[in-house]
Amino acid sequence: MNPDRIHLIATGGTLDKRYNPLTGQLDIGAPVLPEILAAAGIALDVSEVLKKDSLDITDAEREQLAACVAASPARRVLITHGTDTMGASAALIAPRAPDKTVVLTGAMVPWSVAGSDAAFNVGVAFAAVQTLPPGVYIAMHGRVLPHAAYVKDRIQGRFVTG
């Protein structure tokens, strides 16, 4: 991989959930990141590191994600991630990738559901990963902040400065 290219990593989460008519549940499907970017005329490969709700990611899997980011030759990495533990993954990645620009994003509503925030969050994250200096950031709700400055407010269903 060219170090100037953006490494896209999908881990699952709400962004990738789709309705399963057999169970009546929302299940994590294939990464939707390629579809979202294709709608904007962007075609890039996506690495699928995990396929889980972030509440189900184990410490070992979080380590696997951090190792993937650290080992990537790309200097810019965009990660789609479930919002519940996005901050925990960002905190683990930060010391392992000090010279990289890493942006994590997700969605409160699945991309497959009308009214989803997924495409907007991905667009903001895609722009941010290309323009920010090295560091680990979270891009949600039209804002991009260093990962340690954000917390998920479960009552509001939004990320807020913490």
Side-chain angles (χ1 to χ4, degrees), residues 31-62:
V32 299
L33 190 53
E35 294 174 58
I36 292 171
L37 293 175
I42 300 165
L44 294 173
D45 294 330
V46 176
S47 302
E48 188 174 6
V49 174
L50 302 170
K51 190 176 184 175
K52 290 186 138 183
D53 185 292
S54 69
L55 289 172
D56 297 327
I57 296 175
T58 66
D59 290 342
E61 290 166 331
R62 210 173 300 287

Side-chain angles (χ1 to χ4, degrees), residues 113-135:
V113 174
S116 174
D117 56 333
F120 182 74
N121 290 338
V122 166
V124 169
F126 193 78
V129 78
Q130 295 178 78
T131 57
L132 290 171

Side-chain angles (χ1 to χ4, degrees), residues 33-127:
L33 190 53
E35 294 174 58
I36 292 171
L37 293 175
I42 300 165
L44 294 173
D45 294 330
V46 176
S47 302
E48 188 174 6
V49 174
L50 302 170
K51 190 176 184 175
K52 290 186 138 183
D53 185 292
S54 69
L55 289 172
D56 297 327
I57 296 175
T58 66
D59 290 342
E61 290 166 331
R62 210 173 300 287
E63 291 281 350
Q64 176 189 353
L65 174 61
C68 178
V69 172
S72 176
R75 292 187 295 253
R76 300 183 182 282
V77 181
L78 188 155
I79 302 170
T80 60
H81 195 289
T83 61
D84 285 308
T85 66
M86 186 183 290
S89 291
L92 194 62
I93 292 167
R96 291 177 171 84
D99 298 328
K100 296 181 186 222
T101 302
V102 181
V103 179
L104 291 88
T105 194
M108 302 303 273
V109 176
W111 181 76
S112 63
V113 174
S116 174
D117 56 333
F120 182 74
N121 290 338
V122 166
V124 169
F126 193 78

Side-chain angles (χ1 to χ4, degrees), residues 141 143 145 149-153 156 158-162:
H141 308 119
R143 297 182 72 195
L145 293 174
Y150 252 156
V151 294
K152 184 175 178 181
D153 182 325
Q156 293 184 48
R158 300 186 56 77
F159 276 76
V160 297
T161 54

